[in-house]
Amino acid sequence: MKVLFAGTPVFALPSLDRIAGSSRHTLVGVLTRPDRPRARGRRLLPSPVKERGLALGLPILQPARPSAPETLEGIARLGPDVVAVVAFGRILKPAFLRLPRFGCVNLHASLLPLYRGAAPIERALLDGRTETGVTTMQIAEGLDTGDILLSLPLPIGPEETAGELAARLAEAGADLLLETLDRIERGECPRRPQEHEKATYASPVRKEDARIDWSRDAGSIQNLVRAMNPKPIAETESAHGMLRVYRVLRAPGAGPPGTVLAADPKSGLVVAAGEGAVRLAEVQLPGRKRMEDRALLSGVRFAAGRSLAEGA
């Protein structure tokens, strides 16, 4: 089939690579978000998918409005049989969905109808889920409401971060998307409506969501830290400025929430939660490098017995 690929971030790259390497399908172009100001200097930088598309020698489309008439005319000239969509970042309107003869197929990082929306990986971790998966879906009007084509369950590791889980789902999803396209071409791809009454919504994660609430139990705090890594990174107040927390481990101990229970190079930095305690195993203070807590404590003092919020 002739495939137009629509995607933007790193998560989409394995899928783009699988289709590019397939002998059954031909990429006719890449649709991605316009270049955005990023990094120092706020220079306009291309998306990862655009960079890979250019390296593959593919036509690049970066419309401000994907469903604008001039954009649809450009896509029609490429003549795709199907549009493969992976984290494109824009809702596609009916006029766009009707353009390819096999419509638009989306790869979503959850077991739909669970975690529809922008942050399925982060929300699954916040909820303490031990299983998630990937789903291919025929895109319809509405947010992630289309018919399910194929799905694949995957376990979540007990200490896995959102970034680590996303990398695994991206690889597994790429295989599932390619299998979906193959089966569509052969006319044997299954299709079933979602059970909408079981749907849940994964709202975007905001920076304010990353602040550690020490009244929560130790397991919930660990889930928060995992979900916020690599972005926006969990954080808590301290006497040395806002402390960014990349990894925590469950630890023995109890006390008023937020109280430092231990702070030495041997025990590490252990803090009481609403129930139980955690060790802040990998942290970063303003102006310093990210490091293990034991290394930090060799040069920075945290006062045991005091609360982080009170300047421990």
Side-chain angles (χ1 to χ4, degrees):
M1 290 193 296
K2 292 182 178 179
V3 181
L4 174 65
F5 187 86
T8 299
V10 169
F11 181 84
L13 293 180
S15 290
L16 176 57
D17 289 341
R18 291 291 198 288
I19 299 171
S22 168
S23 60
R24 300 180 64 91
H25 310 295
T26 301
L27 282 166
V28 297
V30 161
L31 179 68
T32 189
R33 298 284 295 274
D35 295 357
R36 300 177 65 181
R38 290 183 294 174
R40 291 182 178 180
R42 306 299 291 166
R43 291 183 297 118
L44 284 177
L45 295 175
S47 73
V49 164
K50 178 182 178 180
E51 289 184 320
R52 187 62 55 85
L54 290 171
L56 292 169
L58 296 169
I60 306 295
L61 303 175
Q62 294 181 280
R65 294 189 302 135
S67 297
E70 60 273 20
T71 305
L72 298 182
E73 291 172 7
I75 293 174
R77 285 194 291 273
L78 294 174
D81 298 306
V82 66
V83 178
V85 183
V86 183
F88 175 48
R90 297 291 296 271
I91 293 178
L92 302 175
K93 295 185 177 180
F96 188 108
L97 302 179
R98 289 193 296 266
L99 200 58
R101 64 181 175 128
F102 292 117
C104 300
V105 174
N106 175 241
L107 171 65
H108 192 75
S110 81
L111 294 175
L112 291 171
L114 300 178
Y115 298 107
R116 293 174 176 173
I121 295 172
E122 292 87 347
R123 295 294 172 189
L125 290 175
L126 282 169
D127 289 347
R129 293 271 181 171
T130 57
E131 181 186 78
T132 184
V134 284
T135 302
T136 51
M137 169 193 65
Q138 190 77 41
I139 299 180
E141 292 186 58
L143 183 62
D144 299 329
T145 58
D147 290 351
I148 291 173
L149 302 175
L150 300 176
S151 61
L152 175 68
L154 291 166
I156 300 176
E159 295 183 12
E160 200 166 30
T161 66
E164 293 164 347
L165 180 56
R168 266 198 317 123
L169 294 179
E171 292 293 336
D175 292 335
L176 192 74
L177 179 60
L178 187 57
E179 180 184 351
T180 302
L181 296 179
D182 290 348
R183 294 176 73 167
I184 288 174
E185 183 185 40
R186 295 197 300 267
E188 57 185 38
C189 190
R191 180 169 174 164
R192 58 185 169 86
Q194 294 191 39
E195 297 178 80
H196 300 295
E197 68 279 6
K198 295 182 180 179
T200 59
Y201 178 64
S203 59
V205 170
R206 304 163 299 174
K207 185 170 177 57
E208 51 265 38
D209 296 326
R211 184 69 66 91
I212 296 175
D213 177 359
W214 289 107
S215 70
R216 304 291 301 274
D217 64 84
S220 296
I221 291 172
Q222 186 176 35
N223 291 339
L224 172 78
V225 172
R226 293 163 60 209
M228 298 298 135
N229 186 347
K231 187 178 178 181
I233 299 297
E235 60 184 16
T236 183
E237 296 175 345
S238 82
H240 310 283
M242 197 59 73
L243 182 67
R244 307 185 83 197
V245 183
Y246 291 84
R247 185 166 62 94
V248 302
L249 301 172
R250 302 287 287 274
T259 301
V260 175
L261 301 177
D264 59 72
K266 183 177 180 181
S267 304
L269 181 56
V270 179
V271 182
E275 182 178 337
V278 294
R279 178 186 152 209
L280 310 188
E282 194 171 357
V283 294
Q284 183 179 25
L285 280 173
R288 290 174 174 264
K289 294 181 179 178
R290 170 179 170 177
M291 63 182 71
E292 189 181 352
D293 58 337
R294 289 167 174 161
L296 177 72
L297 292 170
S298 65
V300 177
R301 183 176 180 276
F302 283 78
R306 295 187 62 180
S307 168
L308 286 177
E310 295 172 351

